[in-house]
Amino acid sequence: MSSGALFLMGVFTITVLIDMPIAFGLVLSCLAYLAVYDSAPLMVAAQQYVVGLDSFTLLAIPLFILAAQLMNGAGLTQRIVRLCAAIVGDIKGGLAVVAVLACLMFGALSGSGVADVVAIGSLLLPAMARSGYDKGFSCALVGSAGATSTIIPPSIVLIVYGTITDTSVGKLFMAGIIPGILLGLSLIGVAIWQSRKHNWAGGQPFTWGELRAAAVDALPALMVPVLIIGGIRFGIFTATEAASSAILYALLIGFFWYRTLSLRSLWDNLKSTGESSASILLLIGASGLFAWVLVAEQVPQALSTLLVEWTDSKIAVLLVLTVVLLLLGTFMEAIPVIIIVAPVVMPVLAHYNIDPVHFGILLSINMAIGANTPPVGVDLMAACKIGGINMMQTLRPLSWMMLAMTAVMLLLTFVPELVLFLPRHVQ
C-alpha cells in the first residue's frame, strides 16, 4: 500500500479515536492528504463531494424516509403490531415473537433500522417490561430485529450500495427477501427458546375474530411492500419513483382512510425527514470523496493483487471480507463503511466472479450485526434508550442473537442461491 493511502488511513483513524463525527473525519483526512501530497487542487475535494451525491437513485433515500414517517404518523405501526399479536396469540414468548414479526413488517415500510427500532420499540418495550421480560433481552431483541431493515426492501443501505456499485437496486431488493425472512426466523427461534427458558408470557389468546379484524385494519399497511416490490418487479417504476408512490399512498391513507394525519403532523414529518436525510447525505458525500482518494491511490488494485496471491478460493475471500466488515461495522455506521469499502472490493469481486448482488446482501447483514455491536451499535443504542437501560445489560442475550444472525450469514455465504434465486428466476 502506498504512503499516501497509509497517511490517509492514519489521519482518519486519529479522527475516529478522538470521537470526531465520521463525516467530518472523512473530509478532514482527504483535505490533509491533498494538502500534504499535492496530488490535486483542493477544489477537487468539493467537486468529488458533489459527484458522490449526483445520483437520481439517492433521491429515494429522503423519499423513503418521508414515506416511513408518514406511515408511522398515520398509525400503521400500531396496526402492524396488533396484527402480529393476533397471529401469535398467547404462546410462551409471544410478545418477543410479536416484536420480531412487527420489526420485519415495519422494515418493509421504513428501510431504516433505527426508524424500525424506535417505532416498534416505543410500543412493545414497555409492554414487554410489564409482562416480566428482562429489559436487556427485550432491547437486544428489538435492536437485532430492527436491524433486518438493512436487508428487507426498501432498504436504504441497499439503495446506497446499488448506487455506489452501479448494481440494480431492483435486483438487490428482490435478493433481500429470502435472507430477511431467514434472519427473522433465526431471531424468532432465539426468542422462543429464551422465553421458554425464563417462562416469559405471551399475549392475548388467539381468536379468528381478532385475526380477521386486525388483518382488515392493517390491510393498507400490508399493501405498501406489494406496491414497492411489485412496481419495481414489473417495471412500472424505479426505486426512486417507488418511494414517491409510497409517499402519495401514505398521504392518501393518512388523510382519507385512517384520518390520523394533519397538516401540522405533515409539517413535523417534513422537518424530521430533512434532518435525517441531511445527516445521511452528508455522510454519503464525505464517503464518496474518501473513496475517490482510495481509488486514486490504487488501493483496490493493491487489495486485489494481495488476495489473488494469497488464495484462489471464492469462499475464502468472502470470509476474509466478512471479518473485515464485522470489524469496521463495530466502529462505524453502515453507510460510510459501504461507500468506502464497495469501490475498493469491486475489482476483487470481478476477479473471483462473485455476484455483486450476493456480496451486497452479505455486506448488509454484516452492517446489521455491526448496528448492534458496542461501542457504536446505533440500533442497539436506540433500543436501550427507549428501554431506559445501559448497553452493557444487553450483552449476554445479545450474544445469542448475534450468533444466530452470523449463522444465517455463513449459510448465505456458502449457499449463494438462497440470495440469488429471486433475482435470477423472477423476471
Side-chain angles (χ1 to χ4, degrees), residues 176-200:
I177 295 174
I178 293 176
I181 293 172
L182 291 176
L183 288 170
L185 291 174
S186 71
L187 292 173
I188 286 174
V190 173
I192 292 176
W193 168 54
Q194 287 288 300
S195 297
R196 289 182 174 177
K197 179 179 178 181
H198 297 283
N199 199 32
W200 289 326

Side-chain angles (χ1 to χ4, degrees), residues 108-121:
L109 309 182
S110 70
S112 166
V114 174
D116 203 347
V117 170
V118 171
I120 302 302

Side-chain angles (χ1 to χ4, degrees), residues 208-240:
W208 286 106
E210 171 61 14
L211 178 59
R212 281 193 298 270
V216 170
D217 198 30
L219 184 61
L222 301 179
M223 292 303 297
V224 176
V226 177
L227 171 70
I228 295 171
I229 302 301
I232 294 174
R233 153 70 180 80
F234 291 106
I236 300 173
F237 38 57
T238 65
T240 304

Side-chain angles (χ1 to χ4, degrees), residues 393-416:
Q393 294 176 245
T394 67
L395 294 186
R396 178 172 291 183
L398 179 67
S399 62
W400 291 111
M401 297 164 200
M402 294 298 96
L403 183 62
M405 294 178 73
T406 302
V408 172
M409 182 174 61
L410 291 175
L411 173 64
L412 298 175
T413 300
F414 286 95
V415 189

